[in-house]
Each structure stands twice: as structure tokens, then as C-alpha cells.
Amino acid sequence: MAVNAKSLIKRNELLKEDRNLWDTFYREVVDFIRPRKQSLDESRVPGIVRHKHYDSTAPHAANTLALVMADTLTPKAIQWFGFKIPEASPFRQFNDNQNVLNWFKTVEDGVRFALDQSNFYPVINEIYLDFNSFATICLYVEEAELKQKGFNGLTFRALPISSYVFAEDDAGMVDTVMREFELTARQFAQRFPSAKMPDVIAKSLEQTPDDKFNFLRVVAPTRDLSSKVKFPFASVDIFIDKTQVVDERGYKEFPYMVGRWDKASGETRGRGPAAIALDDIKSLNQLRKLELVGLEKAVNPPILAPEDGFIGTVKLGSNAIIYSRNPNDVRTLPTELRLDLSSLKANELRQSIRDIYLTDQLNIPRTKQMTATEVGILRGEMERLLGPTISRFESEVLGPMLERTVGIMFRTGALPPPPPEIEQLDTIDIEYVGQLARSQKMVEVESIQNWMNLIAQWGQVDPRVMQLPDLMAAGRIIAPILGVPKSVVKGSAQLEEDITAQQQKTQQMEQMQKMGAVAESAGKAAPAMKVMQDGAANLSEEDKAALIQQLTGVAGAN
């Protein structure tokens, strides 16, 4: 069964109708929060620059929140992700195996290097800005342009909010993305060299190669598209004007990661802090606009004069000479401005916007030396405020992105095969070990420390309680939370070998000490034995027996 291009175009139009309900909100976000974007999609209108914002509070708050999220979720300077065997897997006992730990460390280092060499970090920063502004984002991940055999790197792209539509599966996860785009006839020939070129594009390629044509790309589960590709997900490119499929390809993993800040019941698109703060943002901008108008009147007030009060044109520039028939009747129009009232209201609105964007709560003050306890309190506040949002972002964006990255690198030979112990393992777990993830888990470390302190106190009353803690298990739990590299922690097999070797060494030391004690006892008894041997002929039988008994007691005491 072939791909039905007509039905896909119709489905795209239906999904666009749902998106159009949000376009007014998105436009206001661009106008007041993200003014530098200037466009909701990938198009630009030459000569038009929109400018409606008169206050920088909202853009600054959005930028601050994005920077905090980037610093806590995906910091470039430190390792923020790791891999392990799922706890529900029958292979979970190999999580402590040294070969498996070394392999996971190699995979983590390879993925981190690939992300560092790509455009991931610039793009993810833009994603965070869109995330707290539009509350819905779409990240595209693909292998870089093929220049040589093997792995060629990764390419990341943040799609503009109104350049795509999407649909969810029955579990609420996005599995379909549709995106319209334009190509010139020349670009079409370059991108699809083996495709059958529509007649209108072929004619344009010969005469006017820069003419633009509209296309639709649909990426969805292969079974939904009835595509011929042999992959879980299919990508279909359609020439909209002629309802013609021009290209089909497949993906092992879904290449688009759609994340939502929060979702209302029955909706697919996200709602975030901008949706809450937008009324205050617009009010503040209007108030600031009025303040500027009032200040202009105060600095350059209107002039009140009789009908025939001036001779010629009134010049208000510096050093100008004005001729008046009745100078005493010429005066400025009193305005009676109350800028103090508007300033009070403006400060109230600014504080409301900062509170909604968590600016003050997440921005650690740098005006004094903070103690570790104060920093911990602030970090705890951040976890409480951003915890649910971060969890959703990890499950919808970061997790699928890492899975696709690992898949691409494995297929191209950029990562080594797994060790024999887990050759049959089909899935791996992603664990987040960045600053925020570790802060969220620090409660486990504190609980273990508090419990150990109690055990130490109880041990003074009942020494048997000291046998309760498993220090080996506690050490393995605490190490990743504190950010200890996996290469530093010994695997279970290596640990057993080292413990056995240490026990053998201890036993040898004890044997040597015993031998030394026996030798020392023998040394003390030697003079007496010599006396007995030399003078045995002169001693009676009773004296010999007493001497032997005495020597036996000396050896036993030693």
C-alpha cells in the first residue's frame, strides 16, 4: 500500500487549525518577551521590524531562567548524563562488573565528545529560551552531512514554534511531526538528486532556478504512513502543489523531540510562565509607554499662548529667537504629572513578572560570602520549584535525544560493541548526573550520614547494632551522587579479588607473628636447656623433672 499524499496534506491542514488557535499567543510572546525573533516561523518580511516592548523585565527574566536551566541540566563543563543497565533487566547484576563499567565509561566519553564537537550547546540554549517562553519546543537530531565513511558528527536544530505541527500517540508522547518548507528548483535538485522531478520544477530549473516551491515533510510511525521503508519511523516529502511524493526514507529512532513545559487536560501544546505573566507584561509595557509620553511632556511641555501671541514660526530649538506680541501671556501648559504613582505600579508589575519566572528565587545573590548551608537552601528551593518541569523535559527531550545520539554512533562504528557479559542487552537506562540531578539525590547522602551517626551513638549501648550498616553498599550509592567518576569505583569482581588478596596478606602477617613468638620463646629457653644438658649428670631425677616442668611453663607463657 503506497503513501497517500492527499490524506497527509489534509491531516496537516487539520493540525494547523489547532495551532492557529495559539498563534495569537505566540505572536504576543514574540512582541513582548522574545523581540529578537521577529518571526514565528522560518520566514522573514523584508523591511519590517516589530517593536512593541518598552520594558526589558520579561526578556531578562526569560533569559535568566534559560541560563539557570542550562547550567543545572546540561552544563558543558561537567558530565551531566550517564548510562547503566535497567534495574528491571535480568542483566542488572552486571552493573558492578568492571568490564561493563569500563564500557559504559567509554560510551559516555564518546557521546560527550560528540556533543562537544557539534552545535548541541548553542542550540539547546535556544531551546531553553523557547521552552520558558512558548512552553512548546521541537529539537531535531540528525547525523551531520556525510563526508566520509563512518561517523560524521551530529547536527541539532531548534524548529521555530509555528513551522511545524505534531500529534501524540495513545500514551501522550509525540510520534508524528509535520513541517512545511520551501525549496528552489535548484535546491530541490541538490537535495533529491535521485528523485523523480515534477515537470513544473524541471521546467523552472532550466529557466528560473531560483523559483520557490512548497513541500511538506511528514515523519511518523511507518505503519501509519503505509510507507515502503523498513524502519520503525518513516519520513515522507511531498510536493504540495502537485500532491506528489518525492522522497521516502526511514529512521531507527524518532528524530524530533517535542517538549512541553506543562499541559492542560485535553491539550497537546504546552503552557508555561509566559502564559501566566503575559497580562502583567503587557500592562507593564503600556505603563512604561505612558511614562515615556508623560516624561516627554514634562521635558518639552506644550506652550499656552494667545491666538495672535507669536510673530512668525515658533522655534523651540536651543538659542532660538521667538517674537511675541504679548510675552506675559505666553506660558507652558501645566501637566501635573504623577510619575511617582506609575513607578509604584511598575515596580509591583516587575516583581510579579520576576516571581513568575522565578528570577529572584533562582538567582543566587553574589553580594556576600555565602555558607554551604545557605547555598544548599537555595539549591533546594530551585529543586522544589523546577522539579516537575525538569522531569518532563528529561523524559520528552533529553532522554530521546541521548538515545538517538547513541543509536547513530553505534550504527556508524563510533562506539565500541558491548562486552560479552551484556551482548544480549537490548536497552540501557539514562541517568542524569548534572548539578540539579545530584542536588535532588543529596537527600539520600544526608539520610545515610544521619543514620550512621545514630548507629554510632546506639553502638555505645549495644555493640551488636554496629553490624547493621553495609558500608560497601553505602559507598556505591553515594559515589555517583557526589559525582565520583565510574573509573574510580572498583567493580564487584575486582573488589572481591582485592579483598581476598588483603585477607591472604593478613593471614601471612599473623603466621609470621606467631612464628616470631615461637622463635622468641625458644630463644629464652635455650640457656636453660644448655644448663640441663651440661649438668644433667650431676642432677637427681627429682631435680631433672622439676627443671623440665619449669621450662614447659615458660614456653606456655610465651
Side-chain angles (χ1 to χ4, degrees), residues 125-186:
N125 289 339
E126 186 73 12
I127 286 290
Y128 288 132
L129 273 171
D130 287 348
F131 193 52
N132 67 56
S133 300
F134 303 109
T136 301
I137 57 95
C138 184
L139 175 67
Y140 176 68
V141 184
E142 184 56 284
E143 185 180 3
E145 182 181 356
L146 297 178
K147 298 180 180 179
Q148 59 185 5
K149 185 177 180 181
F151 182 61
N152 289 267
L154 300 167
T155 297
F156 296 86
R157 186 180 180 190
L159 299 187
I161 185 63
S162 287
S163 67
Y164 62 93
V165 295
F166 59 88
E168 299 177 332
D169 60 14
D170 59 346
M173 297 299 293
V174 175
D175 67 347
T176 300
V177 170
M178 299 184 176
R179 181 170 66 89
E180 295 183 23
F181 60 97
E182 288 184 342
L183 289 177
T184 64
R186 177 172 172 270

Side-chain angles (χ1 to χ4, degrees), residues 81 83 102-112 406 409-410 415-416 428:
F81 63 89
F83 302 106
N102 293 338
W103 178 75
F104 276 137
K105 183 65 169 62
T106 302
V107 172
E108 292 165 6
D109 291 344
V111 172
R112 184 181 178 187
V406 171
M409 296 182 70
F410 266 124
L415 296 176
I428 59 177

Side-chain angles (χ1 to χ4, degrees), residues 196-216:
K196 181 180 179 181
M197 186 175 294
D199 294 339
V200 63
I201 298 180
K203 182 178 179 180
S204 175
L205 183 62
E206 296 178 358
Q207 300 177 0
T208 54
D210 293 323
D211 284 352
K212 294 183 179 181
F213 301 90
N214 296 318
F215 296 87
L216 172 66

Side-chain angles (χ1 to χ4, degrees), residues 257-331:
M257 293 86 216
V258 178
R260 282 73 57 90
W261 183 282
D262 193 14
K263 276 202 323 176
S265 178
E267 295 180 345
T268 58
R269 292 185 173 257
R271 295 179 181 272
I276 302 173
L278 192 57
D279 289 337
D280 286 345
I281 294 171
K282 291 193 294 184
S283 298
L284 178 58
N285 274 271
Q286 182 64 23
L287 185 59
R288 290 288 293 152
K289 182 179 179 181
L290 294 176
E291 283 183 352
L292 293 174
V293 173
L295 286 173
E296 182 182 10
K297 290 181 179 180
V299 174
N300 189 15
I303 297 176
L304 185 63
E307 185 177 357
D308 56 350
F310 296 102
I311 301 173
T313 303
V314 178
K315 300 177 182 179
L316 299 180
S318 60
N319 297 324
I321 299 176
I322 303 175
Y323 299 94
S324 174
R325 293 188 178 90
N326 302 300
N328 294 330
D329 294 335
V330 178
R331 61 185 185 276

Side-chain angles (χ1 to χ4, degrees), residues 435-453:
Q435 185 176 354
L436 179 59
R438 292 202 302 267
S439 297
Q440 290 174 327
K441 295 179 181 178
M442 279 300 293
V443 63
E444 298 181 21
V445 177
E446 294 174 359
S447 298
I448 292 175
Q449 291 176 333
N450 294 335
W451 184 61
M452 293 295 295
N453 290 335

